[in-house]
Each structure stands twice: as structure tokens, then as C-alpha cells.
Amino acid sequence: MSSRRTCLAVAAAILVCACSRAGAPDDFLTAYDEEYRRLWTDAEGARWAANTEVSDENSRRRIAAEQAFAAYTGDPAVIERLRALLARDDLTDRQRRQAGAAWRIAAHNPGTMPETVQRLIAAEAAQNDRLWGYAYTLSLPGREPRGVTPNEIDALLAESRDVAERRAIWECAKDIGPTLRDGLAELRTLRNEVARGMGYSSFFGLEVADYGLDSREMMAFMDTLLIQVRPLYAQLHCWARHTLAARYGVPAPRRIPAHWIDNRWAQEWPGLVEDVDLDALVADRSAEWIVRQAEDFYVSLGMPALPATFWERSDLYELPTDSPRRKNAHASAWHIDLDQDVRSLMNVTPNFSWFTTAHHELGHVYYYLGYSRPDVPYVLRAGANRAFHEGIGTLIELASNQTPYLRQTGLLTADRSPDRTQWLLSQALMGPIVFIPFACGTMTHFEHDLYEEDLPPAEWNARWWSYAALHQGLEPPAPRGPSTCDAATKSHLHDDPAQYYDYALSNVILHQLHDHICREILQCDPREANYYGKREIGAYLAAILQPGATRDWRQLLEEVTGEPLSARAMLAYFAPLQSWLEAQNRGRDVTFD
Ligand code: X8Z
Ligand code: ZN
């Protein structure tokens, strides 16, 4: 390890000497880009191995590769060179973006505080193993405890109509929380130390800086979105708590008990619309069919078939229950070599959630392939911003949820014609109207306080539930004891930290794109769109994907949608639900706070 570190330091010194003469930013940026790509490929490959097979050996390799990556990208000499570059006023826009991206990479692992960075890398790897090595044990009332996978937990919540049983399943899903608390506290301290050492308000501020915003500006936008969505959310919440209370034969409570909802965090509310049984649509298909069908969607838009290596190297399906291998249970997409080595890690089983998730993940993969072109430097092979990256996949998720497409795939048979309002209701419950209170409210406010306020672990659970009550109108099945740590059950806090607002913003952006596509290309009602086979849509999307991070995201957004960042299109999409819900809720108090 140390010899590699020395070699890299020497290489960095040569780079700095060779490039410190005036007028040579390109020499430095080109040399940086090559080295960045080489070290990224090693680190990403090692992270892939550690996520597809949790083991001490994979963890050790990951730490070594990440330390090598950090040693170069955060080398004090590289940081100085970047600082000097960014102070110049003669850089081209491209050079400034390259240097800015390299600066933010350095800010995550600055060699100016090597011990903190080393501890952070080791702590991240250890937390990953705790998170994905965890084995859930379910103790249902009157039955023997047994091991369950996250997919099984989700399936049980989707099926059970017994409230006591649901509570046991929900509590089983939360048992992992306390095992992650100390690790998260350590990560928070180290992440903040690094970010503050580089001049950011906190680690939250460092992550937000990718958007050209500070923490306060991001939180102000989150609060605006919450206010905009609230009138429809309040109606939806009121309708849902009455519908669920009737299902469980009890009076409607003011807040929804979390174990009544099929999703472990109530970030989406499936299974509530009797007319729209989405899981039944894919129940007789195979997991393989689901992923192939998602690829077929993109190919129909004129995008290339996925590289053969995607199918050879990805890890797409759930492991058998008795498998000794432990892998990451969450869906993700990977750009291993910043070129054609693209992969996805999923646990697909035939249900509608994995059907949409497969479309979502391939969105990331097609974004990777879109900007992997010679004129996009490696360091700018990223989304216009992170929300764009999430938005493309979620746009295609929305497109895959439209009835004309589902008819075309044969999933929705000719004898079934779901009511349009019920379909839209289901989309609101599974999409942004329910998601934004979780994403902008509970998650982002909690992570903001975690980092910006250094919230002590003893206060985490109370803060988490106070946000869940305020924004989602949610409460735990019973008061949570001092040993619980429910926020820590959300994997993003550990391995995708201080970035959850990406998903909220992606919903806003994707609706802007969808609105534009429906108006300008398909000329159709946005709720009745069929993208399938429309190459013009593929060309429109390719123009967004191909520049990667070489363009300013605000300019790009205005150029491709005709408007700045705005929830207008998203709210217009769901507007027809407002009067229907108001009629359903007549005479009920829709407030929950
Ligand atoms: O984490 C994800 C993606 C990762 S690429 C599957 N999502 C968030 C979540 O699951 O919490 C998508 C929507 C929100
Ligand atoms: Zn995603």
C-alpha cells in the first residue's frame, strides 16, 4: 500500500511541475483525467465486488483501492494546482467545469487531512458490510422466528391484512437500525470533518454544492416543494387513512400508523387502489423477462442494445434464501470504467415495483452510455446534475406506467380498462405526491440536521419521527424505545449520503421533460402517453444525455423544456385528482398536524 502511495505522490509532483508554467491547464487536466479514470476503475470495481459479495477480503480490497484513489485525487499538490486553476479568469467553460469537478472530488478525500480520510474510507467499508451483511429475523405472533430477505419483508407487507402480524413485520424491518447507529455517528463526524476542512458548511453543504447551491438554498427549495404539494397530499392522506381504517376495521386515526403501509418507510403507498392491482400484471412473468422488457423499451426509442458485458457482469436477481452469499439488497447502476463497462445490481423478482425499478436502473445505464464519448472528459462523465441522472430513469418509469404501453406489452389485456381517475390515483400514491413529503420532508430535513447541526445520536429517533409526523402525517405503531434507530434503516443514509433531495428534484425535472415530450412530440394528454417505438423521443433524450456534465444544468433544462426548474408540470399532471379527492373526503377533516 505505502509503495503505491509513494509512486502516486511522485506522479502528482511531476504533473504539477510540468503544468505550473503559464497557459498549460489542458496538460494538467488531461493528465489528471487519465489518472482519475484509471483509479476510479479500480475503486469502482472493488466497490462492486464488495457490494455483490460481502466479505472481509472484498472489504480489504475496496479500502486499498479507495485509498489509492484518494491519494491521487486528494493529493495536496493536486489541490493546490486546482485552486490556482480555479482562480484564473482565462479558463474555457470546459476547463472550469473539469477543474470544478476535480475540486469537489478532492474535497471528499483531501490529502491535507490524510488520517481522517483513511479513517473515513475504512468506516464506509465497515458500514457497508454491516448494512448488507445483516440477516433479518422475523418473529410472527405464535410462530418460530425465521430468517427473511428484504424482498420477503416487502412481499409479506403487501399480502398481510392482519394488523398484529403487520406490526411484527414492520418491527423486523426496523431491527437493523440500532446495529448501524454507532457506525453512522462515526461516519457523520468524519464526513463533516473532511467537508468543513475544505471550507463547506458541513458534508450536507458539500453534496449540495454539486448543484451550485448552498444548504440554505437547497432547503428553501425543498420547503417550497412541500408547500406546493401539500394541498393534494393532505387530500390523499385523508382518503388513504380512511380507506386503510376501513380495511382494518378501526376508526380513522389522525396520522397513519407506519405498519399500515406496504412500503417500509411509507415513501410510496402501493396496494391501496382496489381497481389497479399492479403486481398481478407481472405476476406470471419471469424476473429475466422484466429486465429484458426494460431494455426493449430503450431500444424501441432508437437506443443501442446493452453491451454483452452488461448481461455477463451484472448481478440482477435475488439470491436463493439458502445462499451463503450476502449482497446489497437495493437497486443500483454502475459505470465501472467510465466507458462501456456498465452494470446493474438488483434483486429482481416478478412484481411491479421491480418492473418499474428495472426501467429506472437502465435509465442510469443509458445515461452512462450516452455520455461515454471521446469529447466528454472522464471527470465530466456524470449527469447534468445528479437529479437529471435520477430523472431519466424515473421518466422512463413514468412512461412504463402508462396504460397504452402496458397494453402494448400485453401486461394489460384488452378485457381490462382501468378507470382513468383510479389509475392516476395509483400513480399519485406510487409517485411524487406521496414521495415528496418523504424525500423533501423526512429524509432531507433529517440528513440536513444530522450534518449541519451535528444532531446527537440520542436525538435521532425523535427528530426522525417528528419530521415523519409533520411532513408525512405518519406515526410509529407504538412509541419507539430509546434503543431504536429508525432513520438508520434507510440505506441511503449510509451509502448515498446527503443526496436524497436528488430524487425529489428528479421528479420535478422528469415531469418538465414529460410535459415537453407530450406537448411537442406526441401531442397527447400527458396521462395517456406512449413513448414505445418513438425514435423522436430517443433523439430528444440523447441530446440531454450526451453532454454529461459539460453543460450548465439550468441552461440545459431551459433549453430542453422551455422553462426553469418548476413544479408546474408535475402539479398539472396530478391536478385532476384534487376535485375527486375533495368529493371523497367531504365532511372529513383533512389536516393531520
Ligand atoms: O434508490 C433509489 C434508486 C437507486 S438508483 C432505486 N430510489 C430511491 C429509493 O429507493 O429510496 C429511487 C426512488 C427513491
Ligand atoms: Zn436511480
Side-chain angles (χ1 to χ4, degrees), residues 205 208-218 221 505 553-554:
V208 164
D210 256 17
Y211 288 83
L213 297 174
D214 65 24
S215 293
R216 218 171 26 82
E217 291 165 329
M218 180 58 86
F221 194 69
L505 296 175
W553 68 266
R554 292 176 192 275

Side-chain angles (χ1 to χ4, degrees), residues 232-233 235-236 239 268-278 352 398-399 401-404 406 412 416-435 510-511 514 518 525-529 568-581 584:
L232 188 52
Y233 182 69
Q235 292 291 340
L236 205 53
W239 173 84
E268 55 184 30
W269 299 352
L272 264 165
V273 185
E274 299 293 344
D275 267 14
V276 187
D277 184 353
L278 296 170
F352 202 73
L398 174 70
N401 271 266
Q402 306 282 314
T403 48
L406 293 172
L412 205 56
R416 298 214 36 226
S417 46
D419 176 78
R420 290 184 72 181
T421 306
Q422 296 299 297
W423 195 264
L424 191 60
L425 178 64
S426 167
Q427 288 187 323
L429 293 162
M430 297 296 286
I433 307 303
V434 160
F435 182 65
L510 82 91
H511 271 283
H514 181 65
C518 293
D525 180 325
R527 296 159 214 95
E528 291 289 331
R568 180 201 60 79
M570 186 179 83
L571 296 171
Y573 186 93
F574 291 103
L577 272 183
Q578 186 83 30
S579 53
W580 184 85
L581 284 166
Q584 303 297 308

Side-chain angles (χ1 to χ4, degrees), residues 354-417:
W354 280 111
F355 178 77
T356 52
T357 299
H359 285 76
H360 174 99
E361 293 310 327
L362 293 198
H364 288 300
V365 168
Y366 277 102
Y367 212 146
Y368 298 149
L369 294 171
Y371 53 60
S372 291
R373 299 180 302 124
D375 55 335
V376 179
Y378 293 115
V379 78
L380 295 179
R381 293 192 181 181
N385 62 30
R386 295 193 308 262
F388 264 86
H389 226 300
E390 293 303 333
I392 298 304
T394 315
L395 171 69
I396 301 303
E397 222 182 276
L398 174 70
S400 74
N401 271 266
Q402 306 282 314
T403 48
Y405 168 63
L406 293 172
R407 280 197 196 296
Q408 188 154 349
T409 57
L411 289 177
L412 205 56
T413 46
D415 55 320
R416 298 214 36 226
S417 46

Side-chain angles (χ1 to χ4, degrees), residues 267 330-331 360-361 364 390 435 490 492 500 503:
Q267 67 187 67
H330 198 72
H360 174 99
E361 293 310 327
H364 288 300
E390 293 303 333
F435 182 65
K490 191 67 195 159
H492 297 70
Y500 210 79
Y503 297 112

Side-chain angles (χ1 to χ4, degrees), residues 261-341:
I261 303 281
D262 290 357
N263 178 279
R264 285 177 264 159
W265 303 275
Q267 67 187 67
E268 55 184 30
W269 299 352
L272 264 165
V273 185
E274 299 293 344
D275 267 14
V276 187
D277 184 353
L278 296 170
D279 284 341
L281 299 181
V282 292
D284 63 350
R285 309 289 168 136
S286 67
E288 290 76 10
W289 180 88
I290 286 179
V291 189
R292 288 284 177 189
Q293 185 63 31
E295 180 196 32
D296 179 63
F297 192 105
Y298 289 89
V299 170
S300 88
L301 303 181
M303 303 204 181
L306 291 169
T309 51
F310 171 86
W311 298 104
E312 290 154 18
R313 297 175 189 167
S314 287
D315 189 337
L316 299 171
Y317 307 112
E318 193 182 29
L319 295 172
T321 324
D322 59 356
S323 167
R325 175 157 74 100
R326 296 232 163 263
K327 69 183 251 204
N328 186 324
H330 198 72
S332 50
W334 297 65
H335 201 184
I336 304 285
D337 65 348
L338 298 173
D339 201 343
Q340 301 302 303
D341 188 351

Side-chain angles (χ1 to χ4, degrees), residues 230-231 233-239 241-242 252-256 469-474 585 587-593:
R230 184 72 163 210
Y233 182 69
Q235 292 291 340
L236 205 53
H237 181 277
C238 182
W239 173 84
R241 73 185 135 99
H242 280 87
R254 195 165 180 80
R255 294 196 185 116
I256 300 179
L470 178 68
H471 298 295
Q472 296 179 272
L474 200 71
N585 290 331
R588 296 173 179 163
D589 175 7
V590 298
T591 58
F592 56 76
D593 47 9

